[in-house]
Amino acid sequence: MNTIKKNWIFLSLLLAYAAYAGIYIYQTSFVVEDVRYFVLFDDAMISMRYAKNLAEGYGLVWNPGGAPVEGYTNPLWVIWMAFFHIFPISAPKLSLAIQISGALLLLTNLIFVKKIAASISDRLVIPFLAVLMTAFYTPLNNWGLQGMEVSALVLLLSAAAWKLLDDLQNEKFTPWPYLILGFSTLVRIDMAVSYLVILGFALLFIPQYRRQHILWGLGSLVFFIAIQTIFRLWYYGEPVPNTFYLKMGGLSLIQRLKRGVLVLYDFLWDMNWVLFLLPFIFVALKRDRQSILLALLVAGQITYSVYVGGDAWEHKGGANRYIALALPLFFVLFSLALDQIVQAVSQNLEKI
């Protein structure tokens, strides 16, 4: 298949997703007294309140004039939201601007998913399936199109993964994976999990550049964590957000792990645990660095979800906010495994 046809197939997927995102956003709006209102998910609306107060000059506070309490976990996303508040957008339509930005971020993520899949396999079906599954995976769209920072984080994770894959392919070192994921910790600090997975992978599987990875990996992580911690101590008087105490306080590690395992079990059962394990079996058999990297990033987010006891909205079904970030990488591996199975079956049928 020539390059023009390949590009048209991918472009068609992007256009189909853009149409889907537009319909999704419209369907989540409502009309009151002949005025259409666009709204965000409840946690996103909390961030919007902080953003509104910041844009109006009151600072990063819940109530103007009130004591500063960091009731959000996504500082850079709050600043992004505040950016839209400086424009003359009516209140009923302000959330629409955030939703459109989320759609654009998710759309850009599809480009990186294609790049990741194409860097691992030259078969067109792999990026096609991976992009298709990512584009129309409901939980990811649920988080991303309703104003959550997930749309930004999934893009940053995919971009960092692709850049490290590109470095592996070209046998070179660049600091971009660390700079991208370091930046992502400013959106949400727990992106340090994926950061550490990439650093650990590099130290184990890229020995020729181990010194550079140690210096840039540890140095960048310390820098990005330090600047936000210093800000929190200065502005809020606490080293971590208030939401950390609400999430992690009052429950023992064992209690969190029990709930984390339970919600993971429910997720795997609904998804079909056989299909879920398929990509990991493929990675274990293939044992190439590219697929191992993707599998470790997926496993890292799953482990983190278990550690913190899952999310608060597991009843919605599908992947929670933590696991959803890595599912595009899972879909790449799933597409590879599925293609290998189809090829093996086809070859055996030809012998009959």
Side-chain angles (χ1 to χ4, degrees):
M1 187 178 291
N2 60 45
T3 303
I4 295 177
K5 286 186 177 179
K6 289 180 180 180
N7 290 337
W8 269 108
I9 290 174
F10 181 62
L11 180 60
S12 298
L13 276 177
L14 294 184
L15 292 174
Y17 177 73
Y20 167 84
I23 294 170
Y24 185 103
I25 292 171
Y26 181 81
Q27 291 293 331
T28 57
S29 66
F30 58 90
V31 176
V32 177
E33 295 181 353
D34 297 326
V35 177
R36 182 166 294 278
Y37 286 79
F38 292 85
V39 295
L40 307 179
F41 192 71
D42 57 357
D43 263 26
M45 291 305 293
I46 292 174
S47 299
M48 281 284 274
R49 182 179 175 107
Y50 276 91
K52 178 177 183 293
N53 287 332
L54 176 63
E56 293 178 353
Y58 298 111
L60 285 165
V61 294
W62 178 250
N63 290 318
V69 176
E70 189 177 5
Y72 54 88
T73 55
N74 48 2
L76 208 59
W77 190 249
V78 171
I79 294 173
W80 174 246
M81 287 177 158
F83 169 74
F84 292 96
H85 282 78
I86 66 177
F87 296 100
I89 305 173
S90 64
K93 303 298 186 292
L94 193 55
S95 292
L96 173 61
I98 306 298
Q99 290 179 286
I100 292 174
S101 74
L104 292 174
L105 290 169
L106 291 175
L107 191 70
T108 307
N109 178 62
L110 298 180
I111 297 174
F112 280 97
V113 172
K114 176 181 179 292
K115 286 177 175 288
I116 290 170
S119 70
I120 294 180
S121 174
D122 57 1
R123 287 175 57 78
L124 175 63
V125 68
I126 306 302
F128 174 80
L129 287 176
V131 171
L132 182 67
M133 287 187 283
T134 301
F136 300 106
Y137 185 64
T138 300
L140 188 57
N141 287 306
N142 178 56
W143 302 121
L145 297 177
Q146 293 196 67
M148 300 295 283
E149 69 282 354
V150 169
S151 58
L153 294 178
V154 70
L155 169 58
L156 292 169
L157 179 56
S158 295
W162 170 76
K163 193 65 192 73
L164 188 54
L165 288 173
D166 183 65
D167 290 348
L168 282 173
Q169 190 173 26
N170 293 290
E171 293 294 335
K172 64 180 181 179
F173 168 84
T174 67
W176 282 110
Y178 300 117
L179 296 177
I180 293 170
L181 283 180
F183 181 79
S184 74
T185 66
L186 300 178
V187 180
R188 205 169 72 206
I189 195 171
D190 55 13
M191 287 301 290
V193 173
S194 291
Y195 189 109
L196 291 172
V197 168
I198 280 188
L199 176 58
F201 170 86
L203 296 180
L204 287 173
F205 293 97
I206 317 177
Q208 66 271 33
Y209 293 113
R210 187 169 289 151
R211 181 173 177 272
Q212 291 92 325
H213 282 287
I214 290 174
L215 292 175
W216 274 97
L218 293 179
S220 297
L221 182 62
V222 169
F223 171 77
F224 282 106
I225 297 299
I227 58 174
Q228 55 187 298
T229 302
I230 291 170
F231 172 78
R232 286 191 176 99
L233 289 170
W234 169 71
Y235 198 86
Y236 293 110
E238 296 286 346
V240 293
N242 185 57
T243 48
F244 171 85
Y245 299 109
L246 297 176
K247 175 73 174 177
M248 306 295 281
L251 288 176
S252 67
L253 175 61
I254 299 299
Q255 289 174 312
R256 290 202 315 273
L257 292 177
K258 283 182 177 179
R259 186 179 187 279
V261 170
L262 177 61
V263 298
L264 176 61
Y265 173 83
D266 290 338
F267 166 65
L268 296 182
W269 183 262
D270 292 339
M271 186 178 188
N272 188 318
W273 63 271
V274 175
L275 294 179
F276 179 81
L277 289 177
L278 186 63
F280 295 98
I281 296 173
F282 166 79
V283 172
L285 294 174
K286 194 177 181 185
R287 296 182 183 179
D288 67 285
R289 292 187 299 176
Q290 291 91 337
S291 57
I292 289 174
L293 171 62
L294 301 187
L296 287 176
L297 286 169
V298 175
Q301 289 303 120
I302 291 173
T303 302
Y304 176 69
S305 175
V306 171
Y307 171 71
V308 298
D311 207 350
W313 301 280
E314 310 290 353
H315 61 279
K316 289 182 173 292
N320 60 32
R321 290 177 299 165
Y322 314 122
I323 297 176
L325 298 180
L327 278 195
L329 309 180
F330 171 85
F331 291 143
V332 172
L333 293 175
F334 184 85
S335 300
L336 284 165
L338 190 62
D339 182 58
Q340 289 291 314
I341 292 173
V342 171
Q343 287 191 69
V345 171
S346 298
Q347 290 171 4
N348 288 328
L349 289 176
E350 289 175 358
K351 295 177 182 179
I352 297 176

